[in-house]
Amino acid sequence: MAMTMAPEAGLYRLMAWLSPAYPVGAFSHSSGLEWAVEAGWVHDRDSLTEWLADLLRNGSVWSDAVLFIHGHRAVAAGDQARLAAVAELAAALAPARERQVETLAQGMAFVLASEAAWDCPALALLRRAAGARIAYPVAVAALAAGWAIAAGPALTAYLHGVVANLVSAAQRLVPLGQSDGQRAIAILEAAVDHSTRRALALDHGDPFGQVGGAGFAADIAALRHETQYTRLFRS
């Protein structure tokens, strides 16, 4: 199922796929961060880094990391049934309607853009397994596995992309200066590395028993955002 290429080409592709220029609409989502700012839970660089580190270690982003690893493994093994189970879990796991819209919209946009520019048999396998309900982490994992990009670098790039997008949202919402934004990304390197290593260490068992977290404040923020009076973001 995997295509063959040089490691440098894999790095280039990860940089392209997780770039802000890749047309998945990530800039329009905040994953509930907009409500957290409105409520005063996130108000400066320190509170932002604490919020995002918690998402990476215990919240929705950690769940995405688990789904990413299992999706990558399923594609690498050519296991359509297992990929279908991972995709179904990813679509059902979102704690709020807006979060589900966010992950499914970005996932399908990622697949469409990738079919146009970086097509490989893994995307056809993903389509057969998941239809039109493809969550973003599963889509990225499938393409990375399809091009024989190892799970570790691929997940690190994915998590960095999530962090960078939310820091960018915070720069507009808090507001946060550019220097503080870059400091936040630098500080969060350790949390990204920790979550990547933890996800890679998961066994090949049932993802239903390995996914989940305790990011209750972030889940409440995602729910409250649905009725927030003034909004810049879709989620």
Side-chain angles (χ1 to χ4, degrees), residues 3-155:
M3 311 287 281
T4 302
M5 63 178 181
E8 294 80 5
L11 175 60
Y12 183 92
R13 292 176 189 208
L14 286 175
M15 292 172 69
W17 301 337
L18 280 310
S19 162
Y22 214 67
V24 298
F27 67 90
S28 65
H29 297 281
S30 80
S31 299
L33 180 63
E34 187 166 18
W35 171 263
V37 173
E38 175 76 14
W41 298 344
V42 174
H43 51 83
D44 59 11
R45 186 190 71 206
D46 290 342
S47 56
L48 173 67
T49 54
E50 289 174 8
W51 182 269
L52 296 184
D54 195 48
L55 287 181
L56 282 160
R57 293 192 170 110
N58 305 301
S60 60
V61 184
W62 164 245
S63 295
D64 283 354
V66 176
L67 296 164
F68 189 105
I69 289 299
H70 284 285
H72 191 283
R73 290 172 177 172
V75 171
D79 190 337
Q80 182 174 323
R82 186 168 181 79
L83 182 58
V86 174
E88 182 180 7
L89 176 60
L93 197 63
R97 182 187 63 83
E98 287 186 355
R99 286 286 290 115
Q100 185 181 67
V101 169
E102 176 181 343
T103 192
L104 295 181
Q106 288 188 65
M108 183 51 66
F110 184 89
V111 169
L112 291 173
S114 301
E115 286 174 337
W118 308 96
D119 202 13
C120 67
L123 292 178
L125 177 70
L126 179 60
R127 289 277 206 170
R128 292 194 300 271
R133 290 172 60 80
I134 303 172
Y136 187 40
V138 179
V140 179
L143 188 62
W147 282 107
I149 300 173
L155 179 55

Side-chain angles (χ1 to χ4, degrees), residues 184-197:
I185 291 174
I187 291 167
L188 289 163
E189 178 183 354
V192 167
D193 180 68
H194 176 270
S195 293
T196 298
R197 292 178 182 274

